[in-house]
Amino acid sequence: MTTAGSTAAVGTTGTHDLVVRGERVALPGGIGPAEVGISGGKITAVVPLGEGLDGAEVIDLADGQVLIPGLVDTHVHVNEPGRTEWEGFDSATRAAAAGGVTTLIDMPLNSIPPTVDVAALELKREVAAGQAHIDVGFWGGAIPGNRDQLRRLHDEGVYGFKCFLLHSGVDEFPALEPDEMEADMAELAGFDALMIVHAEDAHTIDTAPQKGGRAYSDFLASRPRGAENLAIQRVIDAARRTGARAHILHLSSSDSLPVIAAAKAEGIRLTVETCPHYLTLLSEEIEDGATAFKCCPPIREDANRELLWQGLIDGTIDFIVSDHSPSTVDLKEVESGDFGTAWGGVASLQLGLSLIWTEARRRGVTLETVLDWMSRHPADLAGLDAKGRLEVGADADFALFSPEDTYTVDVGSLHHRNPISPYQGKELSGTISGTYVRGTRVDFTTPRGRLLRRGER
């Protein structure tokens, strides 16, 4: 394995299309001096700095700049077609690129139609074609009555299947009952497909207090930890009985960490993600009426946040993705501040690396670790073995990152479609000055991204 500071020569010599070289290159073994050669959109050489790779174009990293693998975000709601006024492939992929994300996988909702059959997948690909500034793949959906579509969608290249255990927020993507989820997981186990689950128990939430209004504390009480804890246990039990691969989406309840750790130790095929909003925001600091902060499951207390960080550090939680779930400003009920009726979702696709790096550095967490959480590990979940890593044979997806630079979030300058975010005015560390997909710089004008299919390199 290539290691920082002692980079072994790997790959081909001769003239490359592009060479990137500098003192700080985030290789699989750590950050250190290296030169990276790129030809035909692939990384074709990694050698020690000073070896002098020949390139038709050469990029020399500036002082303080780090060459990082492109981030992989496996949890993005693009919403097109059907709700393009919320977000679309052009705006979402520009936002992603501005944040150093070079690959995203689109959720099967909140588009109309949702991606629950092959015809809907084909329509989504049709709409996305020619709009993507980065590479884009697709999840399928598992809803009541579409079990016969799961294998067909799998064969058409979706990366797995999403289900809800409570109302999804949109009527065209209904929830599965726990026994339906298990039956679908048994079906997926037959072709080793992945079930990804929004794990909150419907009955627990239905019987929780539902006051609505401006008080964040009331909203938090309406989405209790117990709903998450029970649903996660049901996913684990179903995975144990079926042998299927299961993935817990957007973990917010730290209560479930011991159960998750025990399931992994048992050998259950389980992975878990969390999101920047659960790792950077605190319920104690959310003002009444601040509906930009509403998401489901909700942002919880400081003590909960600290335990989520510990779960990441010890490996119980596998990685971090955005759960970029935007809507129009009016649907966030900014004027009324009513948490009961506001859309539940946080728009943060462009900000993820800066958000996490700002928190991680003050905790003593290295940039290498953050990059694993946000590039290699989500790529591994989806089987994207050519993404999320700077190594020979991988796609030449990378970004130029300045970890010491700071900036203040201005929603008016972000690329996602609707100018609302809970991070408005927040000072963050780490800026992206260039993002490259297969060796070509994203210019935010000409979409050059590809539409990906599971199993293809």
Side-chain angles (χ1 to χ4, degrees), residues 346-425:
V346 170
S348 65
L349 185 54
Q350 187 169 333
L351 304 173
L353 179 56
S354 299
L355 289 165
I356 295 304
W357 174 236
T358 300
E359 285 288 328
R361 66 188 309 200
R362 72 181 185 86
R363 297 165 185 275
V365 177
T366 66
L367 180 57
E368 293 95 322
T369 298
V370 168
L371 293 173
D372 278 347
W373 289 339
M374 302 187 76
S375 55
R376 179 182 288 267
H377 293 175
D380 288 346
L381 172 82
L384 293 164
D385 57 359
K387 301 293 189 182
R389 60 209 79 204
L390 297 179
E391 58 187 32
V392 171
D395 288 348
D397 297 350
F398 59 86
L400 308 178
F401 182 61
S402 299
E404 305 304 320
D405 288 355
T406 62
Y407 67 100
T408 300
V409 176
D410 172 11
V411 293
S413 67
L414 300 178
H415 288 273
H416 68 253
R417 186 176 298 276
N418 287 282
I420 184 169
S421 169
Y423 303 109
Q424 169 69 10

Side-chain angles (χ1 to χ4, degrees), residues 44-393:
T44 47
V46 179
V47 302
L49 182 64
E51 188 152 315
L53 287 181
D54 186 23
E57 179 185 355
V58 176
I59 297 173
D60 288 303
L61 298 180
D63 290 345
Q65 206 167 53
V66 185
L67 180 68
I68 65 170
L71 306 186
V72 177
D73 194 336
T74 55
H75 195 150
V76 179
H77 295 267
V78 175
N79 302 339
E80 188 177 12
R83 291 190 174 95
T84 310
E85 71 274 16
W86 296 19
E87 193 70 278
F89 285 100
D90 175 63
S91 53
T93 57
R94 281 190 285 109
V101 178
T102 53
T103 304
L104 67 79
I105 304 186
D106 172 58
M107 283 292 170
L109 72 165
N110 300 303
S111 56
I112 303 173
T115 316
V116 295
D117 55 38
V118 171
L121 174 64
E122 289 175 348
L123 175 60
K124 186 166 279 196
R125 284 181 170 147
E126 231 176 84
V127 170
Q131 290 202 75
H133 295 266
I134 65 169
D135 287 356
V136 175
F138 301 94
W139 295 109
I143 63 171
N146 84 324
R147 193 168 302 144
D148 64 338
Q149 290 290 321
L150 302 182
R151 182 60 189 255
R152 297 177 194 179
L153 283 162
H154 175 81
D155 290 345
E156 285 298 316
V158 301
Y159 285 87
F161 299 89
K162 180 176 186 176
C163 73
F164 280 74
L165 293 177
L166 80 171
H167 194 281
S168 69
V170 292
D171 292 339
E172 66 273 4
F173 198 95
L176 297 177
E177 293 295 330
D179 60 337
E180 292 176 310
M181 176 189 69
E182 184 165 339
D184 280 358
M185 287 173 69
E187 173 78 10
L188 298 182
F191 43 95
D192 200 32
L194 175 68
M195 180 70 91
I196 65 176
V197 185
H198 182 123
E200 289 181 284
D201 177 65
H203 177 73
T204 303
I205 287 177
D206 287 345
T207 55
Q210 303 289 328
K211 293 183 180 178
R214 293 175 56 85
Y216 185 78
S217 58
D218 289 342
F219 168 64
L220 188 58
S222 76
R223 311 291 291 214
R225 294 169 185 245
E228 243 185 305
N229 302 336
L230 176 56
I232 287 169
Q233 184 63 65
R234 284 180 169 155
V235 174
I236 290 169
D237 292 342
R240 179 186 294 113
R241 287 190 288 262
T242 62
R245 293 190 293 139
H247 178 73
I248 303 297
L249 296 165
H250 45 49
L251 179 70
S252 90
S253 173
S254 62
D255 293 353
S256 287
L257 290 170
V259 173
I260 291 166
K264 289 185 169 190
E266 184 185 334
I268 292 172
R269 303 168 76 194
L270 182 71
T271 49
V272 182
E273 70 183 42
T274 192
C275 306
H277 36 284
Y278 303 127
L279 297 167
T280 65
L281 302 174
L282 309 175
S283 63
E284 294 94 331
E285 296 179 351
I286 298 175
E287 296 180 1
D288 290 348
T291 52
F293 291 81
K294 180 181 176 180
C295 56
C296 301
I299 296 157
R300 303 191 189 276
E301 304 82 2
D302 185 19
N304 183 83
R305 178 181 72 165
E306 295 310 307
L307 289 170
L308 291 179
W309 273 99
Q310 187 55 50
L312 273 165
I313 291 165
D314 67 25
T316 305
I317 301 172
D318 296 274
F319 57 80
I320 304 167
V321 286
S322 69
D323 187 11
H324 178 69
S325 183
S327 73
T328 57
V329 174
D330 63 308
L331 286 175
K332 291 299 283 184
E333 295 285 355
V334 174
E335 290 189 12
S336 73
D338 188 340
F339 280 98
T341 56
W343 175 257
V346 170
S348 65
L349 185 54
Q350 187 169 333
L351 304 173
L353 179 56
S354 299
L355 289 165
I356 295 304
W357 174 236
T358 300
E359 285 288 328
R361 66 188 309 200
R362 72 181 185 86
R363 297 165 185 275
V365 177
T366 66
L367 180 57
E368 293 95 322
T369 298
V370 168
L371 293 173
D372 278 347
W373 289 339
M374 302 187 76
S375 55
R376 179 182 288 267
H377 293 175
D380 288 346
L381 172 82
L384 293 164
D385 57 359
K387 301 293 189 182
R389 60 209 79 204
L390 297 179
E391 58 187 32
V392 171

Side-chain angles (χ1 to χ4, degrees), residues 6-22:
S6 58
T7 311
V10 181
T12 61
T13 57
T15 300
H16 300 271
D17 298 336
L18 172 66
V19 170
V20 186
R21 61 194 184 199

